[in-house]
Amino acid sequence: MADSTAVKPKPDYRTRSRVRLPLRLLVIGYLFFLVIWPVSLVVKETFAEGLAPVIAALQQPEVIFAFQLTLSVAFWAVLINTIFGVGISLLLVRYTFPGRQALSALIDLPLSVSPIVVGLALLLVYSSNGWLGSTLESFGVQIIYAPAGIIMATAFVSLPLVIREIVPVLHEIGTDQEQAARSLGASSVQTFARITLPAIRWALLYGVVLSLARSLGEFGAVKVVSGGVAMRTQTATLLVEERYQQFGTENTITAYTASFILASIAVLALIVVTSLRPKEEL
């Protein structure tokens, strides 16, 4: 038998360091050319003519309306995703039922299907010639080419971001504390408010921020269901596309300005959440 007391070879830290440095450089280079450089060019082009054209672009009625609509759509989409995201997460983790695996797979569908396909599917169902569109319009409810359709499309594509943040945390915390609370007479609402919600609060918040960033930047599905009519159904992303395709320095600066504002809001939200999250949860 081999001597169990034999000295084990020490790990070669110098070899690891030689491999680690090229990997770091590769990752930094990848991020630089894929993210940092393109975003920095947007910032550069936004302020290429100075601050005055940017301020003038932000004062245009079409730009103001586009951002108001975008923020309104993002708010309602995030609210819907928060309510249903928490409910679906609890359903997937805390309960066993037929079709549970199928439901879990369907949740990832918006991440794997093109947003254009999502918009087309909504169009086939809720347009005036769709399965439900004519019936809804007879009651005075318009979905397609209206804010309601934009909200539905945005909520659809961003729903998994909340659920996929909460589900792992629910698995991690288990059910011991919840069962103890119920054994002491707490209702389901009290158990959720005092035990479950505090345990998942950071995952929920991070999922909400990711959903917000996704909602602000959604383009494909929104373009199909909205029509992109200025001062009616044109969101900020659709405004960027329209102005960038038009001629003239003013239109180009407006497109860059709207892009810069959208990116800044998303980055700022991520920075705030990351800075507020406790260090032990990072």
Side-chain angles (χ1 to χ4, degrees):
M1 294 179 61
D3 187 2
S4 60
T5 61
V7 179
K8 296 182 179 180
K10 295 182 179 180
D12 190 351
Y13 294 104
R14 288 181 295 181
T15 303
R16 290 184 180 180
S17 63
R18 292 173 183 173
V19 176
R20 191 178 304 161
L21 180 59
L23 287 177
R24 288 180 178 177
L25 293 176
L26 180 62
V27 171
I28 293 174
Y30 175 79
L31 293 176
F32 175 79
F33 286 105
L34 187 66
V35 180
I36 300 175
W37 191 17
V39 173
S40 65
L41 289 178
V42 172
V43 178
K44 177 184 176 183
E45 294 296 332
T46 301
F47 299 98
E49 302 296 330
L51 187 60
V54 175
I55 296 176
L58 292 176
Q59 293 176 346
Q60 297 178 21
E62 295 85 357
V63 175
I64 295 174
F65 177 86
F67 274 99
Q68 287 177 342
L69 179 61
T70 299
L71 293 175
S72 175
V73 168
F75 170 80
W76 288 109
V78 170
L79 180 62
I80 293 171
N81 287 342
T82 301
I83 296 174
F84 284 94
V86 173
I88 294 174
S89 300
L90 291 171
L91 185 65
L92 289 174
V93 178
R94 296 291 186 257
Y95 300 93
T96 301
F97 55 91
R100 179 170 169 268
Q101 296 297 328
L103 176 61
S104 180
L106 286 175
I107 290 171
D108 292 328
L109 187 63
L111 298 178
S112 57
V113 174
S114 171
I116 298 293
V117 177
V118 174
L120 179 61
L122 293 175
L123 196 66
L124 293 175
V125 176
Y126 296 105
S127 67
S128 57
N129 297 324
W131 292 350
L132 297 177
S134 58
T135 302
L136 292 175
E137 289 184 3
S138 65
F139 291 97
V141 178
Q142 183 177 357
I143 303 297
I144 303 301
Y145 306 134
I150 303 175
I151 294 172
M152 289 180 63
T154 304
F156 184 91
V157 299
S158 57
L159 175 62
L161 300 175
V162 175
I163 298 174
R164 293 313 177 196
E165 289 291 330
I166 297 177
V167 166
V169 177
L170 288 175
H171 280 296
E172 182 180 354
I173 63 177
T175 60
D176 293 342
Q177 296 183 21
E178 296 174 359
Q179 292 177 355
R182 292 193 186 97
S183 66
L184 295 175
S187 64
S188 299
V189 175
Q190 291 174 327
T191 301
F192 174 77
R194 297 182 181 182
I195 303 297
T196 308
L197 185 59
I200 65 172
R201 65 185 184 279
W202 288 111
L204 175 60
L205 180 59
Y206 203 70
V208 165
V209 171
L210 292 176
S211 181
L212 173 63
R214 183 71 175 84
S215 300
L216 291 173
E218 175 52 32
F219 174 78
V222 169
K223 183 176 177 61
V224 175
V225 302
S226 69
V229 180
M231 302 295 293
R232 289 188 60 187
T233 58
Q234 188 180 62
T235 61
T237 53
L238 300 181
L239 175 72
V240 170
E241 183 208 26
E242 181 192 57
R243 293 302 179 90
Y244 190 77
Q245 291 179 349
Q246 295 177 352
F247 295 102
T249 304
E250 181 181 350
N251 291 323
T252 303
I253 292 179
T254 301
Y256 281 121
T257 301
S259 301
F260 173 75
I261 297 299
L262 289 173
S264 299
I265 294 175
V267 172
L268 180 62
L270 292 175
I271 291 175
V272 170
V273 170
T274 303
S275 62
L276 291 177
R277 177 179 285 191
K279 295 182 178 180
E280 62 271 13
E281 297 190 24
L282 292 176

